[in-house]
Amino acid sequence: MAASRIALVTGAGSGIGQACALALMAAGWTVVFSGRSADKLQAAINTSPTPERGVAIVADVTDEASVDALFAQIQQRFGRLDLLFNNAGVFTAGVPLEDLPLAAWRAAVDTNLTGAFLCTRAAFRLMKAQSPRGGRILNNGSISAHVPRPNSAAYTATKHAMTGLTKSCALDGRAFDIAVGQIDIGNAATDMTTAMAAGMPQADGSVRAEARMHVRHVADAVVQMAGLPLEANVLFMTVMATGMPFVGRG
C-alpha cells in the first residue's frame, strides 16, 4: 500500500490504538497518532522501525475546538485523510446503576460517543471536499454493543449508540464515497483488560477468569478493513478471544 495514504488513529498512545496505528504504519500508511499526551504518542511512534511514517498530534476528542484544530493540521500538512479510526474510549467503574455518578456517565458519553461524533463530522467535511473525494471511517465498538456486562450501563449505552452512529454515517457517506464500518472487539490483551485474566463478574453472579487474545489480532483485522477499496465495506466485524463467554447463556 502506498505511503501516501493518510490515516488518523485516536487514542493511539497505548493499547488497541497504539497496536493498530503501528500495524497501519507497517502496512505502508502514514499515520497520525492522536491523544492527550505528546510523550506517549511519540514513544509509541518510536517503537516502529519506520518512525518517519508517524506523526504525533495532541488532541482531546471531547473538545470541539481541539478536534477541529486536529483536522485542520491534517489538512494543512497532508491535504487529505483516507482513514479515520475512532478508537479513543474509556471504561466506567463497575458499580450498581443507582451508585453510578453523573460525572462518570458524562465522561463515558463525552469520550466514547461525542468524541467519535466530533471526529466523524470533521472527517466527513474533509473527505467530501478533498480530491479524489471519499475515505473510510472505522469505529471501535465492543462486544458490549451486543451484550452488556453486569453493572456497565454507561459504557454499554455508548457502544450501542456507536452502532447507531456507524449505521447512520454509513448511509450518509454512501453518496460521497465515504465507507463507514465498525469493529467490535472482545477481550484483547492490553493494560486496560488485565483484570479479565483474574476474574470478571458474569451474568449468573459468579466471578470467573476470561480468555484474552493478543492485541495484534485486532490490529490485523483493522488493517484488513482499512485496505479494502472504497467500493467495498466491512460494515461490522467481531474479533474476539475464542474462549470468552460471549455466545451462550450465563
Side-chain angles (χ1 to χ4, degrees):
M1 186 171 293
S4 61
R5 299 195 75 183
I6 310 302
L8 165 62
V9 178
T10 64
S14 62
I16 289 171
Q18 177 180 332
C20 293
L22 291 171
L24 287 165
M25 289 173 68
W29 293 75
T30 295
V31 182
V32 176
F33 286 60
S34 186
R36 292 179 293 182
S37 169
D39 290 343
K40 288 180 66 175
L41 296 173
Q42 193 58 54
I45 290 170
N46 290 342
T47 64
S48 169
T50 55
E52 66 276 7
R53 290 181 181 159
V55 177
I57 301 181
V58 174
D60 181 351
V61 298
T62 69
D63 182 86
E64 182 178 23
S66 183
V67 170
D68 288 344
L70 166 65
F71 279 81
Q73 289 183 69
I74 291 171
Q75 184 172 24
Q76 181 178 17
R77 180 159 185 166
F78 301 108
R80 65 179 297 104
L81 180 68
D82 299 290
L83 172 68
L84 163 64
F85 181 31
N86 278 316
N87 167 75
V90 296
F91 288 127
T92 49
V95 298
L97 182 62
E98 64 271 22
D99 297 327
L100 181 67
L102 179 58
W105 170 272
R106 285 178 169 160
V109 172
D110 288 349
T111 303
N112 300 355
L113 181 58
T114 303
F117 157 71
L118 289 172
C119 290
T120 298
R121 184 180 68 174
F124 260 57
R125 290 170 176 167
L126 179 52
M127 289 174 175
K128 283 184 178 184
Q130 64 195 15
S131 181
R133 74 176 185 184
R136 188 177 305 277
I137 299 170
L138 300 180
N139 292 324
N140 187 342
S142 172
I143 292 294
S144 293
H146 306 280
V147 294
R149 291 187 180 278
N151 299 324
S152 66
Y155 181 78
T156 297
T158 63
K159 293 306 182 180
H160 275 255
M162 183 72 93
T163 298
L165 183 69
T166 297
K167 290 179 178 179
S168 185
C169 293
L171 174 59
D172 294 342
R174 183 186 299 168
F176 304 97
D177 302 315
I178 300 173
V180 183
Q182 179 170 319
I183 182 166
D184 295 324
I185 301 165
N187 290 15
T190 67
D191 290 343
M192 292 181 67
T193 64
T194 53
M196 292 177 182
M200 294 294 292
Q202 306 296 312
D204 62 2
S206 64
V207 175
R208 293 197 297 273
E210 293 187 6
R212 296 191 299 164
M213 63 180 171
H214 199 287
V215 71
R216 69 172 176 270
H217 303 310
V218 179
D220 289 345
V222 167
V223 170
Q224 179 185 8
M225 295 169 75
L228 290 172
L230 292 179
E231 67 181 16
N233 186 36
V234 176
L235 183 60
F236 293 102
M237 176 187 286
T238 300
V239 57
M240 54 179 271
T242 304
M244 69 173 294
F246 172 53
V247 178
R249 303 187 184 201

